């Protein structure tokens, strides 16, 4: 049994849903959701609603703290490769898995083992 944790949404308890009502008769309150697992915001939020509430309150401060982008990042031709999969090809087709580079319009064949290997890459750096 994993430990229960609270949704980090600052307004979670204000979203009036039936499952947030807790407490004995005569003393019921809407409460922050508590679960063993959440699906949003890296497991910290019960919903996109709560994630957005958090971001509205703290997002600018978080971005400024960890570094606001002030210029565009670039993905160069050397690092634009990604793995593709042709679902129309059959299993024996050697062209089923391939590398593709949309910046250079190149394609290179790939084995299924290479396709499945998350460490295998043609990209040379960041
Ligand atoms: Zn929530």
């Amino acid at each position: 049994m994993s430990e229960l944790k609270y949704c980090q949404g600052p307004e979670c308890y204000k979203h009036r849903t039936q499952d947030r009502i807790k407490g004995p008769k005569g003393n019921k309150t809407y409460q922050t959701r508590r679960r063993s697992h959440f699906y949003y915001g890296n497991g910290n939020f019960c919903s996109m609603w709560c994630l957005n509430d958090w971001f509205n309150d703290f997002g600018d401060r978080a971005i400024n703290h960890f570094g606001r982008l002030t210029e565009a990042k670039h993905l160069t031709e050397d690092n634009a490769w990604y793995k593709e999969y042709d679902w129309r090809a059959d299993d024996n087709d050697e062209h089923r898995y391939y590398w593709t580079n949309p910046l250079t319009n190149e394609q290179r064949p790939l084995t299924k083992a290479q396709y499945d290997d998350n460490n295998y890459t043609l990209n040379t750096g960041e």
Side-chain angles (χ1 to χ4, degrees):
M1 186 75 188
S2 52
E3 213 159 294
L4 297 176
K5 57 186 178 179
Y6 290 102
C7 170
Q8 295 301 301
E11 310 281 310
C12 188
Y13 68 101
K14 291 183 181 175
H15 300 305
R16 296 188 189 94
T17 59
Q18 204 63 34
D19 71 293
R20 285 181 172 93
I21 298 175
K22 306 280 182 198
K25 197 173 181 179
N27 196 21
K28 292 187 183 302
T29 58
Y30 285 101
Q31 295 184 15
T32 298
R33 276 183 174 151
R34 194 176 184 209
R35 302 274 190 280
S36 59
H37 181 77
F38 293 120
Y39 292 96
Y40 300 92
N42 218 17
N44 287 299
F45 299 93
C46 73
S47 63
M48 284 300 294
W49 202 359
C50 284
L51 178 55
N52 283 333
D53 287 343
W54 187 93
F55 197 86
N56 286 338
D57 283 6
F58 306 116
D60 280 326
R61 282 157 58 191
I63 289 169
N64 288 335
H65 177 78
F66 293 109
R68 181 176 293 275
L69 284 185
T70 56
E71 57 188 32
K73 289 182 161 186
H74 297 263
L75 193 62
T76 62
E77 290 181 359
D78 288 343
N79 294 298
W81 291 99
Y82 66 94
K83 295 173 182 177
E84 241 334 342
Y85 164 72
D86 183 356
W87 56 270
R88 291 165 298 192
D90 66 50
D91 279 334
N92 299 321
D93 188 337
E94 63 181 279
H95 301 296
R96 183 164 198 173
Y97 303 97
Y98 57 93
W99 287 104
T100 187
N101 189 325
L103 293 182
T104 59
N105 290 317
E106 288 177 87
Q107 288 192 353
R108 294 186 193 168
L110 194 57
T111 66
K112 172 140 179 30
Q114 289 168 333
Y115 181 84
D116 292 337
D117 181 354
N118 287 331
N119 294 318
Y120 182 71
T121 182
L122 294 180
N123 295 319
T124 56
E126 285 289 310

